[in-house]
Amino acid sequence: AQKITQTQPGMFVQEKEAVTLDCTYDTSDQSYGLFWYKQPSSGEMIFLIYQGSYDEQNATEGRYSLNFQKARKSANLVISASQLGDSAMYFCAMSGADGLTFGKGTHLIIQP
Amino acid sequence: ETGVTQTPRHLVMGMTNKKSLKCEQHLGHNAMYWYKQSAKKPLELMFVYNFKEQTENNSVPSRFSPECPNSSHLFLHLHTLQPEDSALYLCASSPTGGPHYEQYFGPGTRLTVT
C-alpha cells in the first residue's frame, strides 16, 4: 500500500521568502509518480509539478521545484519568492497502479 | 468551455433523496476519477474509469453509484445518503490511467446531507 506523510499541518511565511513543504512517501512499486497540488479556498485542486520515479533530475516549473531524494523517499516542494497568492492548502500525492494517494496537506499562509 | 467542469457546485439533500453529480471534461482524456474530501482527512479515491471501464472501486458503499457513458462524462448517483457523507466531491481526469499522468480536477461539488 502507498502512503504519503506531510508533517507540517500549517506554516506561516513572510512574503518573498522561499518555502519548503515536506513530503515523504512509502511504496513497494518501482514505477510511480509524485505530484504536488495546490487547493485555494475555492476548493479546486490545481496541479503544480510532477516527478517520475525514474527521473534523475529534480522537476522545476517556474517558481516551483521538487527536491526529489529517492533513497530517503522524500519529495519536498520548494516555492521560491513566495507571493500572497500562494496562500492555500498544498497536497503531496503519489500515483501507482490505481489513482492518486494524497497526504493530509499543509496549510500555507503568506504574510505581507 | 475548458478543463473539467462539475455540476452542481453546491447540493443540499435529505437522507431519502436521490440526486446525481455530473462531471464533464473537455481535455480529450480517457481516464476519469471520483474523489471524496472530508474535513481534516486526505482526499479519498472512490472510483476510477479508464476508457469507460471501471477499474477501481475503493470499497465505496453502494449508496454511491458511478456511471461513465463516454470518456467525457462521469456521473455519481446518490441515494439514501448519511450525514457523514457530507463532503466535497471532486472529479478529475487524466490522459489515461497509470502512474505518470497528472490529473486535472474540477471545482468540486460541496454536498451537505441533512
Side-chain angles (χ1 to χ4, degrees):
Chain A
Q2 301 171 7
K3 184 178 180 181
I4 293 284
T5 302
Q6 294 181 254
T7 58
Q8 305 153 309
M11 289 184 71
F12 289 87
V13 174
Q14 289 295 119
E15 189 180 8
K16 300 182 183 178
E17 289 185 351
V19 182
T20 298
L21 305 181
D22 295 339
C23 173
T24 57
Y25 62 92
D26 192 20
T27 182
S28 56
D29 292 341
Q30 295 301 308
S31 178
Y32 52 87
L34 294 158
F35 302 81
W36 278 92
Y37 284 86
K38 172 184 179 181
Q39 187 178 39
S41 56
S42 58
E44 185 170 356
M45 297 288 282
I46 302 168
F47 164 73
L48 295 178
I49 195 166
Y50 157 82
Q51 179 86 40
S53 55
Y54 294 116
D55 294 340
E56 296 186 351
Q57 290 196 336
N58 288 341
T60 60
E61 289 286 348
R63 293 186 300 114
Y64 304 107
S65 60
L66 199 152
N67 185 358
F68 181 45
Q69 299 187 44
K70 193 170 183 178
R72 298 178 61 184
K73 295 188 175 180
S74 165
N76 297 342
L77 176 70
V78 180
I79 306 174
S80 63
S82 58
Q83 302 170 357
L84 295 178
D86 294 332
S87 295
M89 285 292 295
Y90 288 80
F91 292 93
C92 179
M94 154 179 279
S95 65
D98 310 303
L100 289 172
T101 301
F102 283 83
K104 291 185 177 181
T106 295
H107 189 190
L108 176 64
I109 297 175
I110 307 299
Q111 296 175 314
Chain B
E1 290 206 63
T2 59
V4 182
T5 59
Q6 290 186 244
T7 55
R9 294 293 308 276
H10 301 273
L11 178 63
V12 179
M13 59 186 289
M15 290 189 284
T16 59
N17 291 157
K18 289 185 180 181
K19 297 286 185 183
S20 295
L21 309 184
K22 179 183 176 182
C23 174
E24 184 173 1
Q25 57 95 2
H26 308 271
L27 300 169
H29 290 168
N30 292 300
M32 297 187 77
Y33 311 80
W34 280 116
Y35 289 88
K36 175 184 179 182
Q37 187 176 27
S38 304
K40 300 183 180 180
K41 291 178 67 175
L43 271 78
E44 302 170 69
L45 178 65
M46 300 175 72
F47 301 105
V48 180
Y49 279 83
N50 199 19
F51 292 93
K52 300 189 296 179
E53 296 296 321
Q54 185 175 317
T55 59
E56 178 74 14
N57 175 342
N58 220 16
S59 303
V60 179
S62 59
R63 57 185 184 270
F64 295 91
S65 175
E67 179 189 2
C68 187
N70 54 61
S71 293
S72 299
H73 294 86
L74 185 65
F75 295 89
L76 188 62
H77 303 300
L78 316 171
H79 64 96
T80 59
L81 294 190
Q82 304 298 312
E84 60 264 28
D85 296 324
S86 298
L88 180 67
Y89 288 84
L90 290 162
C91 172
S93 72
S94 63
T96 65
H100 298 294
Y101 293 101
E102 63 268 27
Q103 294 181 19
Y104 293 87
F105 284 78
T109 295
R110 176 72 62 185
L111 173 67
T112 302
V113 181
T114 61

